[in-house]
Amino acid sequence: MAAEGRELGWEDSIKQDDQDYEPIPEGDYNVTIEKFDRSRSKGEGKLPPCNMAVVYFTVHVPEREVTIRENYVLHTSLEWKLSELFRGVGLKKEGEELRMDWSALPGKTARAKIGLKPGIKDPNKKFNYIEKLYPKDTSKPAFTPGGF
């Protein structure tokens, strides 16, 4: 999905203060992994600084598409979340040991439960997040974007 607008130059003027973002309602949606970035978490609570994957999901809603960014911290205490990601796109089976292949994720599709949470800076603003990725059932036909 191409972004609307144009590239800004270093000396261009800017005016817009806030992005008019309307979250989608909570519920189950088809998603496609757009891309991922390798990053590093700063460490919070009981977690030390760790490798982290920032995964960008495109949520397919009949009237528009929404991008949700989700962090996956590479730590054994969060292994369940990593397994959920790889099971959700059909790269891992239940109980199976899997070497994570991050380059295989872009373009993969899944079914996700999308939730709403309050913003950190402004609790009155609500933002979407991936609440759960459902395990991919290989007996069902594969989802194709736009094929609702």
Side-chain angles (χ1 to χ4, degrees), residues 9 37 41 46 48 51 57 62-63 65 76 81 84 94 96 107 110 113-114 116 119 121 130 134 138 141:
D37 293 324
S41 72
K46 296 181 181 181
N51 288 325
F57 293 87
E63 59 276 0
E65 291 187 337
T76 55
K81 188 173 179 180
E84 180 180 271
E94 184 175 7
E96 171 186 74
K113 181 176 185 179
I114 306 298
L116 277 171
K121 293 180 184 174
I130 304 288
Y134 297 107
T138 55

Side-chain angles (χ1 to χ4, degrees), residues 1-78:
M1 179 171 85
E4 293 181 23
R6 65 175 177 81
E7 178 181 9
L8 293 171
W10 293 109
E11 307 297 323
D12 281 359
S13 297
I14 57 172
K15 181 178 178 181
Q16 182 177 331
D17 292 320
D18 197 4
Q19 189 172 3
D20 189 24
Y21 172 74
E22 185 64 35
I24 59 175
E26 292 180 301
D28 293 344
Y29 295 90
N30 292 324
V31 298
T32 302
I33 295 179
E34 187 179 317
K35 66 177 183 168
F36 80 95
D37 293 324
R38 293 176 192 265
S39 186
R40 189 115 178 115
S41 72
K42 61 183 176 188
E44 287 185 17
K46 296 181 181 181
L47 287 178
C50 294
N51 288 325
M52 179 174 72
V54 181
V55 180
Y56 296 83
F57 293 87
T58 300
V59 183
H60 304 283
V61 185
E63 59 276 0
R64 63 187 170 131
E65 291 187 337
V66 174
T67 299
I68 295 178
R69 188 185 111 167
E70 192 71 32
N71 296 333
Y72 289 86
V73 178
L74 279 66
H75 189 274
T76 55
S77 68
L78 294 169

